[in-house]
Amino acid sequence: MRVVLAEDLFLLRDGLTRTLREHGCEVVASVDNGPALERALAVTDLDVAVIDIRLPPTHTDEGLKAALAARRIRPALPVLILSQYVEQLYAHELLASGEGAVGYLLKDRVTHTAQFIDALRTVAAGGTVMDPQVVAKLLTRSGRRGRIDSLTPREHDVLARMAEGRSNTAIAQGLHISESAVAKHIASIFGKLGIEQSPEANRRVLAVLAFLKG
């Protein structure tokens, strides 16, 4: 898996580079500022980009802006945001295409390497992974809920965990219900959201995007 990494803190960038290589990834570009990231995303052959939001020169939103610009040129380019902050407006814009391949993790809530690598692989494969705190903040920005309002509280719980990138097994364990019950809830969610038959992974992504976009 070919990775572009954008992180301005040297020690963190070096640690991430080592971690990625230890798990079989090729870091094809490692940059520490917005303009360098824009160039790397424009010319580099990659499978996924790991991007901090706030990069030099202004330390505001260079990372997200570069990701959005790259996805306009290369739709569904896999992007995993790794940041200390939740930028609601740009996060919604990343999700707006409905194509998935988006992740958003908060640095201080990534507690083990496997969590990070699993999220990276999910995003690279076209999935969507969101930290629960990111989900909560994105939902507070949502206005009209549309079909989401038709979901039961339990279906909301299941869909929220799908947004976190959890498998049916993990959802079942977290909610203390059976996997068959999870499957039934997911089928009901697809029906209520009007998500037609397609490969299972794609349907999950569409459901999660509908949930986050409101």
Side-chain angles (χ1 to χ4, degrees):
M1 185 160 52
R2 299 178 299 274
V3 181
V4 166
L5 173 62
E7 167 59 55
D8 65 316
L9 297 178
F10 169 75
L11 289 178
L12 181 53
R13 187 172 68 254
D14 185 63
L16 286 169
T17 298
R18 292 173 184 270
T19 296
L20 289 166
R21 288 172 176 165
E22 287 171 0
H23 287 80
C25 299
E26 179 187 358
V27 180
V28 293
S30 177
V31 301
D32 63 0
N33 63 82
L37 173 60
E38 291 179 3
R39 291 192 295 271
L41 293 177
V43 303
T44 307
D45 184 17
L46 72 152
D47 297 306
V48 60
V50 179
I51 297 174
D52 191 6
I53 291 174
R54 301 186 179 184
L55 297 170
T58 68
H59 293 281
T60 54
D61 51 15
E62 284 89 344
L64 271 176
K65 284 185 175 179
L68 288 167
R71 280 173 69 96
R72 283 191 284 270
I73 298 170
R74 300 171 59 183
L77 172 71
V79 173
L80 175 58
I81 299 297
L82 185 63
S83 180
Q84 293 176 291
Y85 312 96
V86 180
E87 297 286 350
Q88 293 174 306
L89 177 63
Y90 290 113
H92 270 279
E93 192 171 345
L94 268 178
L95 295 165
S97 69
E99 295 172 318
V102 174
Y104 203 135
L105 300 181
L106 299 179
K107 290 178 180 178
D108 59 355
R109 288 171 53 82
V110 178
T111 56
H112 50 84
T113 301
Q115 176 188 4
F116 170 66
I117 295 299
D118 286 348
L120 186 73
R121 289 173 175 160
T122 297
V123 171
T128 302
V129 179
M130 296 283 160
D131 182 278
Q133 287 191 7
V134 176
V135 172
K137 290 191 176 184
L138 291 179
L139 289 178
T140 62
R141 187 178 181 275
S142 297
R144 294 174 296 171
R145 302 298 297 156
R147 295 179 180 179
I148 294 295
D149 285 334
S150 67
L151 302 183
T152 66
R154 178 61 83 187
E155 289 166 352
H156 269 276
D157 291 340
V158 169
L159 188 47
R161 284 161 174 77
M162 287 170 62
E164 295 164 18
R166 300 191 190 184
S167 65
N168 284 14
T169 300
I171 294 172
Q173 292 172 348
L175 295 177
H176 306 290
I177 59 178
S178 67
E179 287 190 50
S180 62
V182 171
K184 289 179 181 178
H185 286 309
I186 291 175
S188 177
I189 290 167
F190 289 157
K192 290 180 179 179
L193 297 182
I195 298 174
E196 299 179 356
Q197 187 67 41
S198 64
E200 178 69 14
N202 292 343
R203 298 178 83 193
R204 292 175 78 95
V205 169
L206 291 172
V208 167
L209 294 174
F211 178 58
L212 294 175
K213 289 160 64 178

